[in-house]
C-alpha cells in the first residue's frame, strides 16, 4: 500500500529541529523564493495542478495556479530563460528520466535522445483493472538553472546504471552536464565525469556544486 504523509519542520535555535505542521495533503517544493504545492491522492499520487503557496490563516494555502504541460508535476522541472531575453521555457524530466523542453503554451520543442537515469523514489498503484490500470509515479530529479557567459544553462545529473540494458540493477556512478538551448539544438557540456557511488541529489550555491552520494568511503574521498 502507498502511504504518503507530508509535514514541515523548522529549526529553532533553542530547541533544534521541530515539526510545526503534520498530515498536510500536499507535496511541497521551494523554487527560488517561491513555495510550490501540489495535492496528492491515493489513486493518482500527484493530483491536480501545481500552485504557488502562501501562509494564510495559520496554514499553507494554494494560491496562483501554474500553467504547466499536463504531464509535468511538482518535481523535476524548472523555468529557464536560455538567452536571458525574457522568453522563459519549461524543461522537465519524464518518469523514465528523459528530458523534455516545452514552450509556455505546452508545446514540446525537444526531447533528449537518452535517459539520464532511474529515479530513487517512486510509487506504484498495483490494483489493475481496465478502468484503473497499474501506474507508477516517480519523484523526479532536480534541475537547477545557473547563469553562465552564454545566458542561462541547466545542470543535470546523469546516473549511470550498472548495466545499460538492465537499469533496474542500480547505478555505478554519475556524470554531471550543463545544457544550453540555442533555439534549435541542445548543447550538452560535461561538468564532472567518473563520479563514483550513487548520487541521490545535488545542490548549487554560488559557483560550487555539492553532490549527495550514497556509497563507500573510497567513492566519497574520490
Amino acid at each position: 500500500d502507498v502511504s504518503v504523509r507530508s509535514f514541515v519542520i523548522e529549526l529553532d535555535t533553542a530547541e533544534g529541529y521541530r515539526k510545526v505542521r503534520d498530515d498536510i495533503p500536499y507535496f511541497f517544493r521551494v523554487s527560488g523564493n517561491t513555495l510550490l504545492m501540489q495535492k496528492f491522492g491515493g489513486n493518482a499520487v500527484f493530483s491536480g495542478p501545481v500552485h504557488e503557496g502562501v501562509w494564510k490563516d495559520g496554514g499553507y494555502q494554494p494560491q496562483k495556479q501554474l500553467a504547466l504541460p499536463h504531464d509535468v508535476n511538482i518535481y523535476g522541472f524548472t523555468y529557464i530563460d536560455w538567452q536571458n531575453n525574457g522568453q522563459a521555457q519549461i524543461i522537465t524530466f519524464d518518469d523514465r528520466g528523459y528530458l523534455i523542453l516545452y514552450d509556455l503554451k505546452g508545446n514540446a520543442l525537444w526531447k533528449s535522445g537518452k535517459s539520464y537515469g532511474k529515479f530513487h523514489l517512486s510509487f506504484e498503484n498495483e490494483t489493475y483493472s481496465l478502468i484503473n490500470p497499474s501506474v507508477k509515479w516517480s519523484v523526479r530529479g532536480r534541475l537547477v538553472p545557473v547563469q553562465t557567459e552564454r545566458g542561462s544553462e541547466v545542470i543535470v545529473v546523469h546516473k549511470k546504471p550498472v548495466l545499460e540494458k538492465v537499469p533496474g540493477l542500480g547505478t555505478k556512478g554519475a556524470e554531471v552536464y550543463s545544457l544550453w538551448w540555442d533555439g534549435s539544438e541542445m548543447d550538452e557540456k560535461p561538468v564532472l565525469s567518473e563520479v563514483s557511488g550513487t548520487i541521490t541529489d545535488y545542490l548549487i550555491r554560488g559557483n560550487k556544486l555539492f553532490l549527495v552520494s550514497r556509497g563507500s568511503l573510497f567513492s566519497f574521498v574520490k
Side-chain angles (χ1 to χ4, degrees):
D1 294 334
V2 174
S3 177
V4 181
R5 295 184 63 192
S6 191
F7 57 90
V8 177
I9 60 175
E10 71 175 9
L11 176 61
D12 185 283
T13 54
E15 301 180 20
Y17 288 102
R18 62 180 183 179
K19 189 179 293 186
V20 294
R21 286 292 182 277
D22 200 358
D23 288 332
I24 310 170
Y26 285 90
F27 291 110
F28 291 102
R29 173 190 164 197
V30 174
S31 177
N33 294 321
T34 303
L35 176 67
L36 302 182
M37 305 173 62
Q38 185 175 22
K39 202 171 185 63
F40 59 75
N43 293 325
V45 180
F46 299 103
S47 177
V50 179
H51 290 85
E52 293 183 0
V54 296
W55 178 263
K56 183 179 179 181
D57 298 329
Y60 297 98
Q61 304 290 336
Q63 194 176 49
K64 179 183 176 183
Q65 178 179 328
L66 302 188
L68 298 174
H70 74 279
D71 57 348
V72 177
N73 62 51
I74 190 171
Y75 299 117
F77 85 91
T78 188
Y79 292 99
I80 185 162
D81 183 357
W82 303 100
Q83 276 98 26
N84 293 336
N85 58 7
Q87 299 182 19
Q89 295 174 334
I90 298 169
I91 188 167
T92 182
F93 285 112
D94 67 12
D95 281 335
R96 297 189 300 156
Y98 287 83
L99 283 173
I100 306 174
L101 178 65
Y102 294 95
D103 63 21
L104 293 185
K105 295 181 180 179
N107 301 311
L109 304 175
W110 169 85
K111 182 176 181 178
S112 62
K114 67 179 181 183
S115 169
Y116 284 84
K118 184 180 178 181
F119 305 114
H120 300 290
L121 182 61
S122 62
F123 305 94
E124 187 167 5
N125 180 357
E126 297 180 350
T127 304
Y128 180 81
S129 68
L130 293 177
I131 299 176
N132 185 27
S134 177
V135 180
K136 188 172 184 177
W137 307 269
S138 294
V139 178
R140 301 169 180 175
R142 194 184 304 276
L143 292 169
V144 178
V146 294
Q147 292 296 313
T148 69
E149 67 278 0
R150 296 194 290 186
S152 294
E153 303 183 28
V154 65
I155 301 298
V156 57
V157 175
H158 175 208
K159 299 179 290 294
K160 300 171 66 177
V162 174
L163 293 176
E164 293 289 343
K165 295 184 178 179
V166 191
L169 293 180
T171 58
K172 63 181 178 180
E175 301 165 332
V176 182
Y177 293 96
S178 181
L179 304 184
W180 184 73
W181 175 253
D182 69 359
S184 59
E185 295 183 356
M186 188 69 74
D187 180 54
E188 182 184 69
K189 181 175 66 177
V191 176
L192 283 174
S193 61
E194 302 300 327
V195 181
S196 302
T198 300
I199 304 302
T200 58
D201 204 354
Y202 74 94
L203 180 70
I204 295 175
R205 282 296 179 266
N207 62 350
K208 296 185 183 296
L209 170 66
F210 299 90
L211 298 174
V212 180
S213 173
R214 183 175 65 234
S216 65
L217 178 62
F218 173 76
S219 68
F220 172 76
V221 174
K222 182 179 180 182

